[in-house]
Structure formats: structure tokens, C-alpha cells
Amino acid sequence: MAHAVAAAPTWEAFVAPLEDANERIGRAWGQASHLHAVLDSPELREAYNASLPKVTQYWTELGQNQGLFEKYQELAASPGFQSASKTRKRIVENALRDFRLGGAELPADKKVRFAAIDDELARLHSRFSENVLDATKAYSIVVDATRIAGIPEDDLAAARKDGEDGWKFTLHAPSYLAVMQYADDRALRETLYRESVTRASEFGKPDWDNTPLIARILELRREQAALLGYPSYAEYSLVPKMADSPAQVLAFLDDLARRARPYAEKDVAQLKDFSREELHLEKLEAWDVAYASEKLRAKRYAFSDTEVKQYFPEDVVLQGLFRVVETLYGVRIAPAQAPVWHPDVRFYEVRDAAGALVGQFYVDLYARDTKRAGAWMDSAIGRRRTRAGLQTPVAYLNCNFSPPVGGKPALFTHDDVLTLFHEFGHGLHHLLTRVDELAVSGISGVEWDAVELPSQFHENFCWEWEVLRHMTRHVETGESLPRALFEKMLAAKNFQSGLAMLRQIEFSVFDMRLHAEPATARSALELLDEVRARVAVLRPPAYNRFPNNFSHIFAGGYAAGYYSYKWAEVLSADAYALFEERGVLDPEAGKLFRNEILSVGGSRPAAESFRAFRGRDPSVEALLRHSGMTAAGISP
Ligand code: ZN
């Protein structure tokens, strides 16, 4: 018998069928995780957690499969593949990199250990997030009329329970923030603050304490990095990212911290003076900061969030958002029909100028007990061209805004509107892609630290008069936002921007050092204290257990990656500066942004896309200018 020589694998016979199979499981599990995040129930949670180890095991084994790894290597080296498109070459390069990062080159015994770590980590991440949600849900306080002074009517209406006495406040963001920003009752603020910042810690129910989970997660991540020969988890985490090294990231953060610090110090000094003189708060406590800040802002700029909110009813905001998108990118957005998981969910489709379907999306805007906190975009279906034809993308947009109360439409704060534009920016990155290969279409394959570019970029439009005057209508009078109020909002935009920037830098430095430094006896909390001593200008009380609900890095994908927000903000601010130069709704600039950033997805490195759009490397100047931190301000 002749010795059979295996032919080199081809894209069509090897990569495409593998993608088919992975897409099937990815989409099925994607729906389950989506429901786990937005419609939590004991039954679903049980089913989800029962399946999670199997799904994790599948991806882990796939990522370590020696046979597949070798096939990719053969494909990459085969003569036929040398003429493949740049996009397909990048997909194969990424696959080879991910195999190495997933442990494919490890000897058999270490592979088993690597997989066991993956499995344990997946369960710990899920548990971490459930503990935060359970601890959040478990607490509420019912107060009588003597304790509600200062809280706006809309928030009181939301806190009113049918047929019951009193007002009920919880740790869910809208309810919690209403108390923290507005309640005159200082003890009520203190109570809620303490409950919130000690969630999932040793001060609560032992079953929900995330402290041991944090230690174990860090230990496992270190071991995983060591197995692959990296000096730290941070080094391992940065391999597929845009940033080169932990040192580069820390230097970037240090530089921003140095520039922001004088502004943050000024912010705090002014807040303390104001609190002492006008609010008679001798010592500014952590539970006074949001309250005093709101009062100072209202005094200095003579408007409140509540006043502004009346101009942002949901339907007008959505129409305004769609108008911006339609103008810039030449598409049309219209409501459409699809089965939904909750009556509050809406469904839309995006079509191009010729009427062809570009993509579809779900919008689930309101907070509820069964939804995890925050706002996020997720992919339901990715764009892909197969023999069967073109598969168009579908996105989920999830927020936690206040639902409609008292027969009025839902009213959004300007912050909510920013959040909506932010998430929609992610959505557009996913929906407006023109890449035909699933692995790098939309946000797939985009470096973590560049993925916030389109989202943060779109927030800028919420600060443009040209946009806002068409995106506002007073819920009672029907008037659009008065120019004078807009000017005040603009003046207030950089209110405490130094403080806000230092806070983000504090979290980013904490996250990076936590994952970059060797194991010591020092706990995560002690490291955070040390970082705060160097970076922060406001120190919280000793019982604050922020790490215990820092889900971004202990339950999400931001481990050694939280800096991405600031990193991408430099990119997004600098990108937006082109629109400031050309005109904010300039369709030509929009076309360029769509062509060079949104539509290319992960088909080329983000640094290359940025240069193609801007004609040069990113500069930090636009971000500093947008944040009010320019030489004209204070000289450090
Ligand atoms: Zn985002």
C-alpha cells in the first residue's frame, strides 16, 4: 500500500467547518449567558451553572487541541495560503497566538492543570458576580416622610410601593444614587453608603463574601501565567492587546495622574470649602461627596440633573440618537418585530441607503431585579459571509435606567444619555462592519484596549448643540432644551473632571499592579490602600471594600485591562477632534470614521486603523482639552 501523504489543510476544508461548529455553540451559549445577565431566576441560574463547566471545558480543550494547532501551523506554512487575503492571514496569526496563550504548547500534564485552572476560574468569576447581585438584592430600607427631604419627586415615585406605607430604597443604581445625591438626611446616606461599599464582604452574609474568591482568583491567574512562562498575569494579559507592557501602561497612567492631580486637588478643596460654609459639614465624609457635589454644581451652574431630565424623554432621545447615526453613516434605523425576553425590550433594524439589511438590535433599557448592574452591548449574531449567503449582525443593548413612572415616559439624565450613546457606539462597531469573516468582523478580534474607541467617541455628540436641540423635548411643555441651560451644562461638563480622572486612574493602577506584581502576603485591599495613598485625593473609610464588588476585573474580562478605558479615551478624543475641525455632523468625516474604524473591525491592528483615519499616531492633547485640563487652566 502506498504511503498516504496528508494534503495540507485549506481554509475551505478546515477553517470554515470549524467556524461553523464554533459559531453554533457560541450562539446557543450566548443566548443562555444573555438571559443569565438580564433575566436571572433560580431555575435559569441552576441550568446556567450546570452547563458552564461543560462549555468552559469545550473552549479550553479547543484552545489546547494539539491536532488543531498543528493544522493551523500547516495551513499557515502551505504554499496555497500565501496568496490568502490579509484578513484571513490575520485570523490564522491570531489563532496561532491564542493556541499558545491557551496552553497548546504545554506538555500533557501541564495542559491538564491549565484546563483545571480555566474551569475553576470560570466558576469563581460567575460566583463573584452572583454574590454581588445577591448582596445588592438582599438590602432595602423603608423610610417614612421624615427622612425623604431633598429627594426628587420622580425618585420618590419610583420608591413608592403600592398599598404600603413609606418609601423603599435599595442598592440598585437609580435608587442608591437618588439617596446619595439628594437625601438631606445624612444618616440615611451613611447607611446606604455603608451597605453599598461593604457588599459581598466579610461584613455581610458569609456565603456572599468575595474576599476568599479574590485571593483564589489572583493565585490561579498567577499560576496560569507561570505555566506559560510569563513573569506575571499582566504580561500574559497584554500579549493580544495594543499596549506593549505593564511598565508602558503604568507610565501612561502616571503621566495622566500627574497632569490631573492639580485639578483634582482644586476640586476637593473647593468641595470642602463649600460643604463647610454652605452645608455646615465640618468634615466631608464619603457619603457627603455626591450630595455636596450635586449642591455645589446646582449652585454654581444653577441647574440640577432632575431639571435636565425633563427634557430627555426616552422616545425623543432614541430618535435623536438614530438621527445622528443616520446622518453620519448613511443608514436608516426603524422598529421591527422579533420575539423578546421581556415586555420592555424593543427591536430595530438598520438598512443602508439602498434599503439592504445591515443589521438588527435589541434594546433593553430599564433596571430590574433580575438584571445585572451597569450597561453593556453584547453580540447575538456576528456578520459573516458563507456559501449560503450573507449573515447580518444582531446586537443586544442593555442598560439600567429608571423605568417610566406616574404615566410619564421614561426620563433620562444626561448621564444616561451618554451611557446610551456609549453602548450604541459599541453596537455600531458590531453592526456597521463590512468584514465577511466572523473571527474579525465587528468587535471580534479588536484589541481589548482599543475596543472602547467607538463607544467613547460617540459620547461626544451628547455635548453638541446641533445634536441636543433635536434630541430634547420637555416632557410637559414640549419645548426643546433652552440654549441657556445647554450653556450651563457645558460649563458644568468638566465639573470635578480632575477628581473623576484620578478615580479611574486609581482603579486602573490598582488592577495593573495587582496583576503585575509577584505574590506577597499583602491582600488586594492593602494594595488598594497603597495605590490610594499615592494616587487618590479623597480617601474612603476603612470599612470600604471596593475590591469585593469590582466585577470588571474579578468577574469580567478587564483583568490587567481596566486601563483600557483611559487608553481608548485618548484614541476616541483624538478621533473626535477631526469632527471638531470638519463640523460635528459632517457626513464626509462620518464616512471616513465608518470606513477606517467601524467597518474594519479586527481585520487589522487598531494602531493601523487609527493612523488610516487620522493620518498620524494618537495624541493625548484632545483628551486633556476635552477634560478642561489645558495650560489655560492651572499650571501644575
Ligand atoms: Zn464600553
Side-chain angles (χ1 to χ4, degrees):
M1 226 172 126
H3 181 75
V5 178
T10 62
W11 184 275
E12 286 72 23
F14 167 55
V15 181
L18 186 61
E19 278 194 339
D20 288 341
N22 286 337
E23 192 192 9
R24 279 189 69 193
I25 183 170
R27 270 169 64 174
W29 184 245
Q31 292 175 10
S33 338
H34 174 68
L35 291 176
H36 180 242
V38 299
L39 206 64
D40 186 39
S41 69
E43 298 78 18
L44 181 67
R45 192 185 279 197
E46 195 185 319
Y48 178 85
N49 285 330
S51 309
L52 182 62
K54 295 176 202 161
V55 177
T56 309
Q57 187 189 2
Y58 172 78
W59 292 114
T60 304
E61 284 180 12
L62 189 81
Q64 295 187 343
N65 188 294
Q66 199 62 35
L68 291 175
F69 181 41
E70 283 164 13
K71 284 240 183 205
Y72 269 107
Q73 286 175 313
E74 285 171 41
L75 174 66
S78 69
F81 192 65
Q82 305 318 305
S83 57
S85 67
K86 268 180 80 176
T87 302
R88 287 189 172 178
K89 282 185 178 161
R90 183 160 169 86
I91 291 171
V92 170
E93 269 168 35
N94 287 354
L96 290 171
R97 175 199 71 198
D98 294 342
F99 270 111
R100 292 188 190 102
L101 296 178
E105 285 178 325
L106 292 174
D109 58 327
K110 288 187 173 171
K111 259 189 195 167
V112 173
R113 179 63 197 140
F114 195 92
I117 296 176
D118 263 351
D119 178 55
E120 192 179 345
L121 277 174
R123 282 183 289 119
L124 288 168
H125 295 161
S126 169
R127 183 73 196 277
F128 187 98
S129 154
E130 288 171 5
N131 285 346
V132 173
L133 185 60
D134 286 343
T136 304
K137 273 163 64 173
Y139 181 81
S140 65
I141 184 170
V142 177
V143 298
D144 62 24
T146 62
R147 306 196 69 183
I148 57 169
I151 303 174
E153 271 186 31
D154 290 349
D155 295 307
L156 288 177
R160 198 78 180 162
K161 294 288 156 235
D162 284 342
E164 285 173 33
D165 286 339
W167 290 264
K168 181 175 159 184
F169 293 98
T170 70
L171 301 181
H172 291 293
S175 181
Y176 176 72
L177 290 176
V179 172
M180 297 313 291
Q181 281 190 305
Y182 298 108
D184 293 336
D185 188 323
R186 196 182 193 192
L188 179 62
R189 295 200 308 269
E190 182 178 358
T191 302
L192 257 83
Y193 174 83
R194 184 187 287 263
E195 291 293 338
S196 178
V197 302
T198 56
R199 274 176 300 161
S201 76
E202 75 271 27
F203 301 121
K205 192 171 156 185
D207 277 359
W208 297 336
D209 185 2
N210 275 336
T211 313
L213 275 67
I214 291 173
R216 183 67 183 151
I217 287 169
L218 291 172
E219 188 184 349
L220 289 170
R221 285 177 182 164
R222 261 186 216 112
E223 187 184 345
Q224 201 160 40
L227 278 171
L228 292 173
Y230 290 97
S232 70
Y233 185 82
E235 301 267 359
Y236 167 64
S237 160
L238 289 185
V239 175
K241 296 190 169 94
M242 193 175 166
D244 295 326
S245 67
Q248 184 197 20
V249 171
L250 287 168
F252 163 76
L253 294 169
D254 262 3
D255 175 50
L256 274 185
R258 193 178 46 79
R259 293 169 187 254
R261 191 169 185 95
Y263 297 91
E265 280 168 351
K266 191 183 95 185
D267 291 341
V268 171
Q270 289 175 347
L271 188 63
K272 284 182 173 166
D273 288 348
F274 172 79
S275 303
R276 201 171 32 245
E277 286 156 23
E278 313 251 339
L279 305 175
H280 310 295
L281 298 170
E282 275 316 306
K283 183 170 185 293
L284 184 75
E285 301 285 2
W287 48 92
D288 300 325
V289 173
Y291 174 78
S293 296
E294 181 57 28
K295 290 270 183 288
L296 174 59
R297 190 169 69 140
K299 184 189 177 209
R300 192 182 286 175
Y301 307 105
F303 72 95
S304 69
D305 275 357
T306 306
E307 182 187 353
V308 172
K309 220 165 110 173
Q310 310 306 316
Y311 290 94
F312 289 103
E314 176 182 339
D315 53 328
V316 180
V317 171
L318 283 179
Q319 286 315 310
L321 165 65
F322 295 165
R323 180 181 168 272
V324 169
V325 171
E326 292 176 346
T327 308
L328 287 176
Y329 308 124
V331 293
R332 292 284 163 266
I333 298 173
Q337 292 302 314
V340 293
W341 54 91
H342 189 277
D344 291 340
V345 180
R346 253 83 47 79
F347 186 72
Y348 297 87
E349 59 185 28
V350 184
R351 292 186 179 272
D352 67 16
L357 186 65
V358 172
Q360 295 155 303
F361 57 93
Y362 297 91
V363 180
D364 184 357
L365 295 179
Y366 313 137
R368 59 175 172 266
D369 252 357
T370 53
K371 195 194 275 188
R372 75 170 162 86
W376 71 99
M377 190 287 294
D378 213 344
S379 156
I381 299 176
R383 179 179 156 114
R384 184 183 184 201
R385 197 177 292 278
T386 63
R387 280 186 209 93
L390 179 67
Q391 169 178 298
T392 52
V394 180
Y396 303 115
L397 290 155
N398 309 291
C399 300
N400 269 282
F401 301 155
S402 298
V405 281
K408 286 194 274 186
L411 298 176
F412 297 156
T413 64
H414 190 249
D415 262 357
D416 292 341
V417 178
L418 286 163
T419 299
L420 185 65
F421 271 66
H422 178 104
E423 296 310 329
F424 210 78
H426 285 306
L428 291 168
H429 203 184
H430 181 67
L431 295 169
L432 298 188
T433 191
R434 291 198 188 96
V435 177
D436 290 338
E437 308 282 357
L438 186 65
V440 289
S441 75
I443 60 172
S444 300
V446 176
E447 295 96 316
W448 260 102
D449 40 0
V451 96
E452 296 295 330
L453 193 175
S455 51
Q456 300 188 136
F457 167 85
H458 283 92
E459 290 181 28
N460 289 291
F461 294 101
C462 305
W463 293 108
E464 299 291 350
W465 175 243
E466 194 50 39
V467 172
L468 284 185
R469 68 197 184 100
H470 297 293
M471 198 168 70
T472 46
R473 192 175 63 217
H474 193 280
V475 68
E476 268 146 28
T477 67
E479 279 171 43
S480 70
L481 187 74
R483 180 77 194 223
L485 180 53
F486 169 69
E487 295 295 343
K488 283 192 264 184
M489 289 165 64
L490 209 52
K493 175 179 179 239
N494 289 322
F495 176 60
Q496 295 186 339
S497 64
L499 205 49
M501 191 179 285
L502 270 201
R503 199 170 149 77
Q504 285 299 100
I505 293 171
E506 172 190 325
F507 299 158
S508 305
V509 172
F510 168 61
D511 164 50
M512 186 50 70
R513 287 188 55 189
L514 196 60
H515 292 102
E517 293 176 5
T520 60
R522 186 182 52 195
S523 69
L525 189 64
E526 285 161 345
L527 174 66
L528 180 58
D529 277 341
E530 197 185 309
V531 171
R532 279 176 174 153
R534 290 170 49 104
V535 176
V537 285
L538 276 175
R539 307 287 297 276
Y543 61 71
N544 182 300
R545 290 292 177 272
F546 170 75
N548 293 51
N549 58 69
F550 197 7
S551 296
H552 274 85
I553 68 165
F554 295 119
Y558 280 86
Y562 197 80
Y563 73 93
S564 303
Y565 285 106
K566 277 287 156 247
W567 186 272
E569 218 178 329
V570 168
L571 305 178
S572 63
D574 198 18
Y576 192 71
L578 185 81
F579 287 74
E580 294 174 312
E581 290 159 22
R582 301 246 187 114
V584 288
L585 291 176
D586 178 40
E588 284 307 308
K591 196 168 157 189
L592 194 61
F593 191 73
R594 182 177 179 186
N595 289 346
E596 302 297 351
I597 307 277
L598 293 177
S599 76
V600 299
S603 66
R604 66 184 180 196
E608 225 174 89
S609 298
F610 187 90
R611 276 193 295 270
F613 170 69
R614 205 64 176 93
R616 57 165 174 73
D617 281 328
S619 145
V620 74
E621 296 310 317
L623 175 60
L624 293 170
R625 177 167 55 79
H626 292 167
S627 310
M629 296 179 198
T630 46
I634 314 170
S635 42

